[in-house]
Amino acid sequence: MIQLPCPLCGLRSAHEFVCMGEHSERPAQPEALDNAAWAAHLYNRDNPDAPVLEMWWHLHGCRSWLRVRRDPHSQNILGCETAGLGP
Amino acid sequence: MSGWRLPSGGRLIERSQLLDFQFNGRLFQGFEGDTLASALMANGQGLLSRSFKYHRPRGLLAAGWEEPNAFLGLSAPRAEPNVLATTERLVQGMRAHSQQGWPSLQFDAMAVADLLHRWLPAGFYYKAFKSPSWAWPWFEKALRQAASQSRVPQVPTDDVELQGHGRRFAHADVLVVGAGLAGLWAAWSLARAGASVILADDAPRPGGRWLDRPSGQAVDAWIDQALAELDACPKVQRWPLTQVVAQHEHGMFVAIDRSSPGRERIWKLRVRHALLATGQIERPLLFGDNDRPGVMLAGAVSSYLHRWGVAPGHRMVLATNNDAAWTAAFEAQDAGLQVLALAELRHEVHPDLLAQAQARGLEVNLDTRVNAVRGRSQIRAVSLADSHGHTRWLQADLLAVSGGWSSALALHAQVGGVSRYDTQLHGMVPDGALRHKCIGAVTGAQGTAACLQSAAAGAGMVAQQLGLTLQPLPMPQVDREHVGCSAIELGASGRGRVFVDFASDVTYDDLALAKQEGYEATEHLKRYTALGMGPDQGRTSSVTGAVLMAHMRGLGAGALGATQLRPPLTPIPFGAMAGSESGELIRPVRLTPMSGWHKQAGAVMYESGQNWRRPGYYPRSGETMAQAIERECRTCREAVGLYDSSPLGKFEVTGPDAAQLLEHIYACKVDDLKVGRGRYAVMLREDARVLDDGTVFRLGEQHWWLTTTSGQAQAVHAWLESARQVHFQGRLQVFVTPVTDQWAALVVCGPRARELLAACGSDIDLDKPAFPFMAWRQGHLAGHPVRLFRVSFTGELSFEIHLPAGRALALWTYLVQTGRGLGLAVMGSEANHVLRVEKGFISVSHEVDGCINPLDLGLAWAVRMDKQDFIGKRSLQRDLANPQGRAQLVGLLVEPNEAPLEEGAQILQEPPPAHPEQSLLASAGFVTASVWSPSLNRAVALALLQDGASRHGQSVSVTAATASSLTYRRARVVAPVFVDPDGGRMRG
């Protein structure tokens, strides 16, 4: 079980978090996208064999939503920061 | 076999303590400290099992976890199959039995499989037994019987102790895996430097392979000194009989404490650093019939001699390709065995070794291999062949073999460590970035000095990272050691079949067959032949197999890597994994303040939502389930009902920007709600599929109260926080507080609901003009501070009473008592379900399937498309532009009026397919909820039907399945509401 360096709580076991998966930034103007582009944002994810941006939620901790950059090979956490200004 | 107990010696045994045990019904004796294997050997029991496929007689090849043959069944002190005799500690009264062999171990009828081996190569079942196809069920049954190795023990259920030891957790600076010399050195060195250390080793005593040497050496004194200091150090935890079985990322390890067999305990470790001193595993040699009882690994011979004071035979031949194995011959001679000859595959060895052998009067044959063995259940003779092909027989009952040593790299590999083939060592060694965590013999270091040097280097790196300084340690005195090895012999020699993997009965010919069939990669080879798939996981076979296949393919010996190794390292009992989480404790349970009351009132409790226990129905004496539910429903519709809705998800949203957050979350408008009012509200996902439904009430200007379904409470919490932190980037001034557990919710519903509340005494004006539908009021009820919400899930006049959880039981009891006079009935979730289906109210767990938007459910009135952007708006625009063919919520009346339809039954396109089995291809929808309606006295259902809104009045076919067949029933599509369509009762 990997550990995540929560910026507020410190290094915590992944048990405390809920992994929300690979992140796709919500387009600023959804109406401006056609159906195909909107569907791509909703459903398509790159799932690359490379470090990927994921969203994790620290449910059993500070309840921050965290932007986590994780390398799926080494499981190294390359970045972990709060999504917004904080909880 | 002709094993026998030495008159003295044995580091691990206590000769003053005799233990009685049985094997296959025969009585034997052993000593305290024996393993089952060493005790059997001491009693001359050499034949222990029959091999997996060919049912060949098998005995002990090894002395530890690498043993591939000796899996026995136990019936005492516990019933357990597949116990490894070489690691199972002997206890008084142990009863063991061989697992294969019918009618007996000595005379196994299935041994005919060995005679038929030509028709039973690897993967034979892909080719044979395919025709005639009618015979396959018989073949399958026979094959399953033949392939089974053991029986699940028949134990009376009240004897079974379901609860194992609970999991425990530990943290330390360093984990050292393996307490051989390298592990002891590293642990000692780091302990002296001040680190917290866990030293785990799977043997009962530390020392690793030094336990295989005669006792009383200088190294023993060194080990004792190390242990004395380690055990005195408060920051050191030394765990014997504890095997580290898994390595995961970020310093997480799983270990299993095997000190109480049958009640093992799992430890989860999180350490900052780890050093793997896991050592090496010896390889057997390849020659015809190399699996016969009496053929044993040379290192194992030494193990038995010195750990347990048992000799595996009287007349020994040593066959080897490396220096280390010569020690086994010397030590065997010292112990009193007759060493007939040393057969060395290499054509030259170090002159010191030759001199030693000569001084002992041992016959040495260089450039000599084993040609054949004689004897089936026990070898009687060994044939050696020299470089010219001349053979001769030696009357030996023990053939000690050594084909070299393979590093035990499983833990290193589990976390992505790679390895490479070392052409000098003729074995795999750790490579890559993670190799620095390996210390000692596992790195390929040869000889004590090299092992300790690698341990010092590893400890040094860890100390540096911890910011500690290592202090010098005394060096153990060791005699001059010889190291040297030749490559794995590649040719199959002599007659008889050459076994590569003993546990799975894989022969050299099977590898050749795999190559011929194209299964050349090691992963394919493994699956095609089953090499390395047995309970020993290829410990004595996988490296040999990889090298053989590389040679067959004309590649260098190390060209093919090992197969992927995954945790756990060795078999772990399910009981250990379950720990204390079994029976009632298998999952966390969430209870409401009234749970005890429900159980006492005789409620049948259901698991619901997220780990909640809720009452399903309250049967009175003599009532069936259906009768109880009907009574509860009728009482609610005719008098008054009470139910516990405490698992309802509840949130407080407060702050100046609360309305902005909620406008974004909900499909309806909320910022126009007045204080004191509320609304039914739907939350959508970004793709407009319904996430949850509930209510939103305005408690104050900046104070909002949300309710959700109990099953989605956590998802909604995540959703709210995601909107606040991710979408709005935390810029809004708003707090979201989940209060599901803090507030209990009691619901009083039915025509006499007001009467009941009034009878309880309240300062709240309950009359309709003062307290309309979808409003909330604060005050007191029976002396308790409460909030009342006029929300109805049953379709009746309904008051949801919210109060702090600590007061709920008292109010509930008072309501029940007061309600008696009004004919109150307590209702469970079953009655609730019936009542809401009658009203056509949706339930997220039934009518929402992840493909449904609120318009499909007839909730267009709960969606305001003219709002600014809200979650789901964009996808709703798309859905609105493509309305054809969407599934829509409808009601179904079963015609003729018979039993209710099945939930999940398919509604078919008209006309329905001729054969009901094709119905899934012609589905136009499905039944989401189906009940017997007491109000209508008929079966009604809700369903999602393609274009259902325009099909009211039509008759449809619905599938109905019995145990043996699939038929159709008929139903009429109607509007999805059966009782009080205008909602006058709940608005009253």
Side-chain angles (χ1 to χ4, degrees):
Chain A
M1 184 57 63
I2 65 173
Q3 291 180 308
L4 293 175
C6 176
L8 287 111
C9 306
L11 200 60
R12 309 298 300 175
S13 167
H15 289 111
E16 297 183 4
F17 299 80
V18 181
C19 178
M20 298 309 210
E22 191 183 324
H23 186 58
S24 171
E25 297 289 350
R26 190 176 194 266
Q29 308 263 11
E31 319 81 61
L33 274 60
D34 63 9
N35 283 341
W38 179 245
H41 157 68
L42 287 179
Y43 300 118
N44 293 354
R45 295 293 179 268
D46 288 332
N47 196 23
D49 185 13
V52 68
L53 177 65
E54 296 175 334
M55 295 296 268
W56 289 70
W57 184 43
H58 200 180
L59 167 61
H60 297 296
C62 59
R63 297 182 190 156
S64 303
W65 274 83
L66 300 171
R67 286 182 192 278
V68 177
R69 193 148 211 100
R70 181 176 67 90
D71 178 349
H73 279 298
S74 61
Q75 301 292 5
N76 287 341
I77 305 297
L78 307 171
C80 183
E81 54 202 27
T82 55
L85 297 175
Chain B
M1 191 178 288
S2 45
W4 51 284
R5 179 80 70 180
L6 297 175
S8 65
R11 293 165 171 273
L12 300 180
I13 58 170
E14 195 47 66
R15 287 178 183 259
S16 59
Q17 290 187 39
L18 276 170
L19 302 174
D20 302 303
F21 71 101
Q22 288 183 34
F23 175 66
N24 281 352
R26 279 186 64 192
L27 293 165
F28 292 120
Q29 281 195 318
F31 292 127
E32 175 71 42
D34 261 330
T35 59
L36 185 52
S38 64
L40 285 166
M41 181 186 286
N43 284 278
Q45 179 69 38
L47 175 62
L48 294 185
S49 65
R50 290 281 178 166
S51 71
F52 174 54
K53 186 160 67 172
Y54 301 121
H55 287 247
R56 291 166 68 92
R58 290 281 172 83
L60 292 164
L61 177 73
W65 283 99
E66 66 278 9
E67 170 61 33
N69 297 323
F71 289 95
L72 306 179
L74 285 186
S75 50
R78 66 189 190 279
E80 191 174 319
N82 298 327
V83 163
L84 188 54
T86 51
T87 57
E88 181 71 20
R89 201 165 71 238
L90 187 72
V91 295
Q92 172 64 28
M94 180 167 271
R95 287 207 305 274
H97 55 268
S98 57
Q99 298 191 127
Q100 299 247 70
W102 180 88
S104 78
L105 181 59
Q106 288 89 331
F107 302 104
D108 183 9
M110 282 301 295
V112 67
D114 201 30
L115 296 173
L116 300 174
H117 69 266
R118 213 172 301 274
W119 292 273
L120 300 172
F124 70 90
Y125 33 79
Y126 298 130
K127 300 162 191 157
F129 304 118
K130 291 244 166 119
S131 63
S133 53
W134 54 262
W136 171 244
W138 187 90
F139 284 138
E140 187 189 359
K141 197 161 163 217
L143 281 173
R144 281 188 192 279
Q145 267 297 82
S148 74
Q149 281 197 283
S150 51
R151 297 233 170 300
V152 174
Q154 296 303 314
V155 183
T157 39
D158 40 355
D159 272 5
V160 174
E161 222 177 57
L162 284 176
Q163 209 168 34
H165 280 308
R167 265 194 294 287
R168 293 196 59 188
F169 301 85
H171 297 78
D173 290 330
V174 193
L175 169 69
V176 179
V177 182
L181 287 200
L184 279 170
W185 178 283
W188 193 4
S189 163
L190 287 163
R192 274 199 178 177
S196 58
V197 179
I198 295 175
L199 175 62
D201 188 77
D202 59 22
R205 292 236 207 102
R209 277 187 21 215
W210 274 98
L211 295 177
D212 299 341
R213 300 276 80 78
S215 40
Q217 305 205 28
V219 176
D220 291 297
W222 183 88
I223 293 176
D224 289 338
Q225 193 189 351
L227 288 181
E229 203 173 303
L230 286 170
D231 289 345
C233 181
K235 285 175 96 173
V236 171
Q237 295 183 72
R238 195 167 66 81
W239 293 352
L241 285 172
T242 302
Q243 193 175 43
V244 177
V245 291
Q247 178 175 191
H248 297 292
E249 294 83 11
H250 298 191
M252 173 126 210
F253 287 82
V254 180
I256 177 164
D257 176 356
R258 295 187 192 269
S259 50
S260 305
R263 302 218 44 205
E264 291 85 353
R265 186 197 293 276
I266 294 270
W267 282 83
K268 298 229 169 161
L269 310 174
R270 182 81 73 179
V271 296
R272 294 164 69 187
H273 301 279
L275 290 170
L276 306 178
T278 46
Q280 294 187 306
I281 303 170
E282 203 169 11
R283 295 188 290 257
L285 284 176
L286 301 171
F287 53 88
D289 289 327
N290 57 345
D291 67 324
R292 295 296 186 207
V295 179
M296 183 176 286
L297 292 171
V301 173
S302 293
S303 280
Y304 284 111
L305 287 174
H306 299 121
R307 292 192 192 213
W308 299 289
V310 191
H314 295 271
R315 300 162 60 81
M316 174 173 133
V317 171
L318 176 78
T320 180
N321 69 351
N322 61 78
D323 294 347
W326 287 53
T327 319
F330 301 155
E331 289 173 351
Q333 189 187 44
D334 291 340
L337 281 78
Q338 199 183 351
V339 180
L340 301 178
L342 274 66
E344 168 62 61
L345 281 163
R346 294 170 289 174
H347 61 249
E348 61 180 20
V349 295
H350 199 282
D352 281 0
L353 275 179
L354 286 172
Q356 274 187 61
Q358 214 164 34
R360 287 165 168 273
L362 294 176
E363 178 194 311
V364 173
N365 307 283
L366 298 176
D367 229 339
T368 302
R369 56 161 45 88
V370 175
N371 184 49
V373 295
R374 207 179 272 155
R376 274 178 54 85
S377 304
Q378 166 61 48
I379 59 167
R380 302 192 307 275
V382 174
S383 162
L384 300 179
D386 66 13
S387 49
H388 306 292
H390 296 142
T391 63
R392 63 190 172 104
W393 284 96
L394 295 166
Q395 304 301 309
D397 62 358
L398 171 62
L399 174 56
V401 296
S402 180
W405 293 79
S406 305
S407 291
L409 290 169
L411 281 180
H412 168 75
Q414 281 174 9
V415 78
V418 296
S419 49
R420 62 173 178 83
Y421 190 82
D422 188 302
T423 46
Q424 217 188 350
L425 301 169
H426 302 286
M428 307 292 282
V429 295
D431 200 18
L434 298 174
R435 74 183 184 279
H436 302 293
K437 287 164 65 167
C438 296
I439 57 172
V442 71
T443 63
Q446 300 205 295
T448 308
C451 286
L452 293 180
Q453 209 170 18
S454 113
M461 279 181 70
V462 168
Q464 193 187 36
Q465 282 165 347
L466 289 172
L468 300 170
T469 325
L470 286 185
Q471 276 153 32
L473 288 179
M475 275 289 282
Q477 293 294 106
V478 258
D479 296 330
R480 170 81 193 278
E481 294 151 315
H482 292 280
V483 294
C485 180
S486 71
I488 291 168
E489 274 295 292
L490 300 172
S493 57
R495 49 179 206 274
R497 277 139 63 229
V498 179
F499 282 83
V500 178
D501 183 330
F502 292 25
S504 307
D505 263 353
V506 178
T507 63
Y508 181 95
D509 291 339
D510 289 328
L511 269 73
L513 178 63
K515 162 85 177 44
Q516 186 187 315
E517 305 257 313
Y519 297 99
E520 295 184 334
T522 40
E523 296 282 4
H524 290 160
L525 169 64
K526 175 181 174 180
R527 273 101 185 148
Y528 187 70
T529 61
L531 174 90
M533 290 181 76
D536 68 331
Q537 288 289 286
R539 277 182 254 281
T540 48
S541 57
S542 58
V543 172
T544 307
V547 170
L548 282 176
M549 178 54 80
H551 175 70
M552 287 178 192
R553 289 174 61 179
L555 304 169
L560 299 178
T563 54
Q564 175 76 314
L565 292 164
R566 301 184 178 91
L569 179 69
T570 53
I572 307 181
F574 277 112
M577 288 198 279
S580 50
E581 285 164 29
S582 65
E584 285 267 306
L585 297 176
I586 197 163
R587 265 194 296 277
V589 172
R590 295 169 80 178
L591 304 171
T592 74
M594 279 69 74
S595 287
W597 189 98
H598 297 317
K599 283 212 200 103
Q600 263 216 315
V604 174
M605 300 299 280
Y606 288 179
E607 201 182 314
S608 120
Q610 285 202 299
N611 297 318
W612 290 101
R613 293 289 181 277
R614 307 185 71 168
Y617 57 100
Y618 301 79
R620 294 196 179 146
S621 70
E623 266 189 339
T624 63
M625 174 176 165
Q627 287 169 337
I629 296 169
E630 186 167 329
R631 173 182 51 77
E632 290 172 19
C633 291
R634 282 195 195 287
T635 314
C636 176
R637 290 251 186 263
E638 292 163 13
V640 58
L642 170 68
Y643 66 90
D644 177 5
S645 192
S646 299
L648 192 68
K650 310 171 202 73
F651 295 87
E652 296 204 32
V653 182
T654 54
D657 297 328
Q660 193 181 353
L661 179 71
L662 296 176
E663 280 292 314
H664 180 71
I665 291 279
Y666 282 118
C668 63
K669 208 146 172 48
V670 297
D671 60 7
D672 61 348
L673 272 176
K674 296 192 178 43
V675 175
R677 303 284 311 183
R679 195 163 275 167
Y680 174 78
V682 191
M683 266 184 222
L684 307 181
R685 299 184 342 201
E686 282 283 16
D687 60 358
R689 304 298 164 252
V690 173
L691 171 68
D692 198 53
D693 72 333
T695 62
V696 52
F697 277 83
R698 194 162 200 164
L699 301 187
E701 276 307 311
Q702 295 178 0
H703 190 182
W704 300 78
W705 180 256
L706 277 56
T707 65
T708 73
T709 65
S710 62
Q712 292 291 79
Q714 183 172 310
V716 169
H717 187 190
W719 205 239
L720 288 164
E721 287 293 349
S722 166
R724 188 178 70 77
Q725 295 183 38
V726 183
H727 180 72
F728 288 107
Q729 296 168 356
R731 289 183 283 102
L732 297 184
Q733 289 186 69
V734 58
F735 286 104
V736 173
T737 314
V739 290
T740 300
D741 300 317
Q742 282 71 17
W743 291 83
L746 284 56
V747 182
V748 171
C749 52
R752 304 186 79 176
R754 274 199 189 92
E755 277 183 67
L756 175 57
L757 295 183
C760 287
S762 176
D763 55 4
I764 302 170
D765 189 344
L766 301 166
D767 285 334
K768 178 174 174 180
F771 192 172
F773 182 59
M774 292 311 278
W776 77 277
R777 296 287 178 262
Q778 183 158 305
H780 293 80
L781 184 64
H784 297 281
V786 296
R787 287 186 191 134
L788 298 185
F789 295 82
R790 275 201 60 186
V791 170
S792 181
F793 189 57
T794 55
E796 294 303 312
L797 169 65
S798 170
F799 294 85
E800 219 173 75
I801 308 163
H802 289 213
L803 77 166
R807 290 179 171 270
L809 180 59
L811 179 58
W812 173 276
T813 321
Y814 192 70
L815 282 164
V816 171
Q817 199 183 321
T818 314
R820 242 173 237 141
L822 295 166
L824 173 127
V826 181
M827 296 157 55
S829 57
E830 292 277 6
N832 243 289
H833 178 64
V834 171
L835 295 172
R836 74 100 186 156
V837 170
E838 285 182 335
K839 287 293 298 181
F841 292 161
I842 65 157
S843 163
V844 160
S845 51
H846 285 86
E847 279 70 43
V848 170
D849 68 350
C851 305
I852 289 298
N853 72 30
L855 310 174
D856 303 329
L857 295 171
L859 295 174
W861 53 268
V863 178
R864 289 284 294 269
M865 293 301 290
D866 60 343
K867 264 181 25 158
Q868 225 188 349
D869 190 27
F870 60 89
I871 299 178
K873 180 177 180 185
R874 174 64 185 81
S875 286
L876 272 180
Q877 284 168 342
R878 176 233 169 245
D879 289 346
L880 280 166
N882 303 280
Q884 307 85 349
R886 290 194 66 84
Q888 292 168 332
L889 184 70
V890 297
L892 292 177
L893 292 175
V894 183
E895 289 181 337
N897 185 15
E898 290 171 343
L901 300 169
E902 245 186 288
E903 262 172 40
Q906 300 295 309
I907 306 170
L908 302 159
Q909 294 162 10
E910 291 293 315
H915 294 286
E917 283 74 28
Q918 294 168 327
S919 56
L920 274 180
L921 302 171
S923 172
F926 65 99
V927 174
T928 62
S930 175
V931 299
W932 179 265
S933 161
S935 306
L936 272 60
N937 210 14
R938 66 177 303 147
V940 302
L942 294 175
L944 288 168
L945 177 63
Q946 226 169 28
D947 297 316
S950 52
R951 295 184 62 178
H952 291 188
Q954 291 180 16
S955 185
V956 290
S957 299
V958 184
T959 57
T962 64
S964 53
S965 67
L966 194 62
T967 58
Y968 297 141
R969 298 179 63 188
R970 300 294 292 177
R972 189 152 48 87
V973 179
V974 295
V977 58
F978 304 98
V979 168
D980 188 28
D982 299 321
R985 300 171 73 105
M986 68 186 182
R987 293 177 200 278

